[in-house]
Amino acid sequence: MSEEQGKATWDPKIIAIVCNWCTYAGADLAGISRIQYPPNVRIVRVPCTGRINPFYIVRALQEGADGVLVSGCHPGECHYLTGNLSARRKFAMLKKFLDYIGVESDRTTFTWCSASEGERFAKVVRGVTEKVRSVGPARRLVKSL
Amino acid sequence: MEAIERNLREEAKRLLAEKKVDVIVGYEAGTLPLTATPTFITDPAEAERLVWNPLCVHNLAKYVHDVITQHRNSQKRVKPESRTRKVVGVVARGCTSRSIILHLQERQYGREDIVIIGVPCQGYIDRKKLSVSLNGEEVLSGTIEGDEIKVMTGTGEKRLRLSDVLADNCITCRFNNPIISDVSLGEPASAMKAEEEFNEVNAFEQLSSDERWAYFEKEMAKCIRCYACRQACPSCYCPECFVEQSRPQWVGIGGDASDTQVFQIMRIFHMVGRCVDCGSCIAVCPMGVDLRKFLKKLDKDAFELFGSRAGSSLEDPPVLSTFKEHECEDFIYNP
Ligand code: SF4
Ligand code: SF4
């Protein structure tokens, strides 16, 4: 398969690591309400964004994910009160660092989305899929062996 | 410098003789010319071995942690009533004191377990720079006189300016005087070029994403994963590091370039708010990987986003162990 063909058939693979208490339910709501969004996300459910080891994101990129989306409860609404606030510091540092070493900034996205925001979840997924599509298939940090 | 060295020996002798400390962690002359090596002094008579000069490279906080942890582990099998404590005296310059502050904040030992002998610092000599200035010739003997180094090599005597061979992290150091100490020796050292500390990072940020990746890839391709950087790092004291964990195996051990890159990203990322820029990892790296370019970025971001500098004060919590309700919302995606 030539590279051109490869690009034409390529569809972004996005790992979404989401909080059980908000975004996961939000994604469910989007489904129940029959809101359409691109099928490019693979959802991983975690108890809280504070539970996410930055390593998960780096490993997802190494294993060939074209993008990673992390979504949790809006600040002040964390089920465990402050998990998302400590996560926010971690992710702010991680996003800047990955960009600094040359892993395109559009590959990592962080957002908040509550259980009642099915529409917002769909919008986020659409936006992220577009962003990732515009940077193209993952080339950096990807394991080849 | 000589006066400080004299005071240091006096002070060490006194602390040991008065049984204020069980061991002093300091530096002594190395076995090779123009080197210094960490030393552990328990006998007051041996205090004469201590030195303090621009050859003292290591961050001794690493050894403080090792000595205290080993002693504590050795006490586990002793009956609680007969357990002993070990008080460690340590010769600490600015970066060493910052690492000690981090250890204290991370509850690795108590303030009562250590006695800090603070020394002012004007930077240490980077062996790699020295070797480059000598065209790789072997040092047969050498002395430091003021800000000049006299080196004898196979082809004769050479004179170098100390400021030309100082380590990069020392040249732009903002914390060259100890932040906390129990005993301080000498007058505080004059400031280094702290205003230039982020210049290198700023310049790197200006490159394109492709150039930055190319540089990262090239540097990490040099790494042979000997883990010397981790062994030398005072913040790397985990009993079991993620690179050795096998359940789950966090990072592959094969020859794939991405495994090394991932190892480095994660080790560097474990240094958020914990890297004091002491240069130990760079000093020990056999392959000359430019780790500082990446570690310093974390320092800059933590400072710009959260106003925090690792180990710069005993009262300020480390950057990732605290948060504010309203801060750094601008990287959050809002479609
Ligand atoms: S690299 Fe990370 S896990 Fe390993 S010793 Fe250092 S801090 Fe601990
Ligand atoms: S010391 Fe250098 S070569 Fe060894 S693991 Fe660290 S970066 Fe790699």
Side-chain angles (χ1 to χ4, degrees):
Chain A
M1 190 164 51
S2 79
E3 202 177 319
E4 280 313 301
Q5 271 174 330
K7 264 214 175 115
T9 53
W10 169 78
D11 215 24
K13 272 201 296 289
I14 297 163
I15 301 296
I17 311 179
V18 306
C19 162
N20 172 45
W21 302 104
C22 49
T23 311
Y24 192 78
D28 212 18
L29 182 63
I32 294 170
S33 326
R34 297 176 178 266
I35 304 169
Q36 291 294 319
Y37 62 83
N40 302 63
V41 288
R42 276 72 162 163
I43 292 185
V44 178
R45 177 168 61 153
V46 291
C48 174
T49 40
R51 169 69 181 85
I52 302 171
N53 186 333
F55 216 154
Y56 297 172
I57 297 163
V58 176
R59 271 307 287 265
L61 292 170
Q62 189 196 11
E63 298 293 334
D66 299 303
V68 179
L69 164 68
V70 171
S71 179
C73 308
H74 290 274
E77 296 174 11
C78 176
H79 188 75
Y80 309 97
L81 305 181
T82 58
N84 55 355
L85 300 183
S86 24
R88 183 171 55 189
R89 282 202 164 192
K90 254 186 277 181
F91 297 150
M93 295 292 293
L94 182 69
K95 186 166 170 76
K96 272 178 170 277
F97 184 69
L98 288 178
D99 184 32
Y100 181 77
I101 63 170
V103 174
E104 303 90 338
S105 174
D106 280 342
R107 296 209 188 275
T108 47
T109 307
F110 301 92
T111 193
W112 314 127
C113 178
S114 76
S116 60
E117 295 177 317
E119 187 56 64
R120 179 182 161 91
F121 181 77
K123 237 158 93 186
V124 166
V125 174
R126 270 179 235 131
V128 170
T129 311
E130 267 333 291
K131 277 205 298 176
V132 174
R133 203 184 292 282
S134 67
V135 274
R139 299 164 288 143
R140 297 172 181 169
L141 210 63
V142 182
K143 194 161 183 159
S144 55
L145 291 181
Chain B
M1 202 101 310
E2 286 77 36
I4 294 175
E5 212 168 70
R6 254 199 324 277
N7 286 344
L8 170 62
R9 292 173 185 162
E10 285 299 311
E11 213 38 70
K13 201 179 286 172
R14 185 182 66 81
L15 287 170
L16 286 166
E18 291 175 7
K19 303 244 180 296
K20 292 252 168 57
V21 298
D22 297 295
V23 54
I24 298 259
V25 184
Y27 304 94
E28 67 177 332
T31 45
L32 293 171
L34 277 189
T35 58
T37 186
T39 186
F40 302 83
I41 311 262
T42 47
D43 177 359
E46 300 263 295
E48 290 305 312
R49 290 212 322 253
L50 290 169
V51 300
W52 173 244
N53 56 37
L55 301 169
C56 300
V57 173
H58 309 74
N59 184 335
L60 297 180
K62 177 82 190 177
Y63 301 93
V64 174
H65 190 281
D66 280 359
V67 169
I68 294 180
T69 324
Q70 268 173 27
H71 179 73
R72 204 175 284 155
N73 288 342
S74 76
Q75 294 297 304
K76 278 190 186 150
R77 286 159 183 274
V78 177
K79 276 190 260 148
E81 59 275 20
S82 12
R83 280 185 194 155
T84 58
R85 211 158 55 94
K86 195 166 204 167
V87 181
V88 180
V90 54
V91 180
R93 57 171 168 237
C95 48
T96 313
S97 75
R98 290 173 74 191
S99 289
I100 290 173
I101 289 179
L102 280 170
H103 287 165
L104 292 170
Q105 289 179 326
E106 292 172 354
R107 307 263 192 278
Q108 292 304 303
Y109 42 77
R111 189 67 183 83
E112 67 287 357
D113 291 325
I114 47 170
V115 174
I116 304 171
I117 309 172
V119 285
C121 178
Q122 290 278 276
Y124 61 75
I125 294 173
D126 180 335
R127 290 302 291 186
K128 291 179 188 109
K129 281 193 190 174
L130 182 69
S131 161
V132 170
S133 334
L134 297 173
N135 299 321
E137 286 171 33
E138 195 188 347
V139 179
L140 298 179
S141 67
T143 47
I144 299 173
E145 290 159 9
D147 45 15
E148 212 185 38
I149 317 171
K150 252 184 12 196
V151 193
M152 203 57 180
T153 67
T155 58
E157 192 186 277
K158 298 211 167 64
R159 281 164 185 274
L160 302 170
R161 286 234 314 276
L162 185 58
S163 55
D164 291 338
V165 288
L166 284 189
D168 288 339
N169 54 310
C170 297
I171 294 174
T172 60
C173 177
R174 186 177 288 278
F175 304 91
N176 53 333
N177 287 298
I179 289 167
I180 49 168
S181 58
D182 298 301
V183 187
S184 38
L185 305 178
E187 292 296 308
S190 52
M192 312 296 276
K193 291 187 199 143
E195 62 290 348
E196 293 174 16
E197 62 182 338
F198 298 131
N199 282 8
E200 206 185 317
V201 174
N202 291 337
F204 193 70
E205 280 170 355
Q206 297 309 314
L207 301 178
S208 71
S209 175
D210 290 339
E211 288 170 310
R212 292 197 304 263
W213 176 256
Y215 187 78
F216 180 76
E217 208 176 19
K218 170 176 98 45
E219 286 303 308
M220 297 317 157
K222 291 187 207 164
C223 173
I224 53 171
R225 287 178 70 175
C226 62
Y227 305 143
C229 45
R230 177 196 69 184
Q231 295 310 106
C233 176
S235 287
C236 277
Y237 53 69
C238 305
E240 196 186 350
C241 174
F242 75 90
V243 296
E244 272 111 22
Q245 281 174 356
S246 51
R247 277 189 194 183
Q249 188 182 48
W250 290 105
V251 45
I253 48 174
D256 194 87
S258 78
D259 283 338
T260 308
Q261 290 159 2
V262 165
F263 152 63
Q264 289 285 359
I265 292 174
M266 285 329 290
R267 196 193 86 84
I268 291 171
F269 206 70
H270 281 185
M271 295 303 137
V272 176
R274 307 178 67 235
C275 173
V276 300
D277 201 13
C278 64
S280 295
C281 49
I282 295 139
V284 297
C285 177
M287 307 309 288
V289 179
D290 186 2
L291 297 167
R292 185 161 183 267
K293 179 88 90 257
F294 305 105
L295 285 161
K296 200 65 186 165
K297 166 71 174 167
L298 301 176
D299 191 8
K300 177 176 179 240
D301 283 351
F303 183 56
E304 283 180 356
L305 290 175
F306 311 111
S308 160
R309 298 300 297 269
S312 63
S313 130
L314 203 48
E315 288 75 39
D316 290 354
V319 68
L320 289 189
S321 38
T322 182
F323 50 78
K324 296 201 184 74
E325 191 175 348
H326 302 287
E327 62 180 2
C328 68
E329 270 288 310
D330 47 347
F331 78 104
I332 300 293
Y333 179 61
N334 269 311

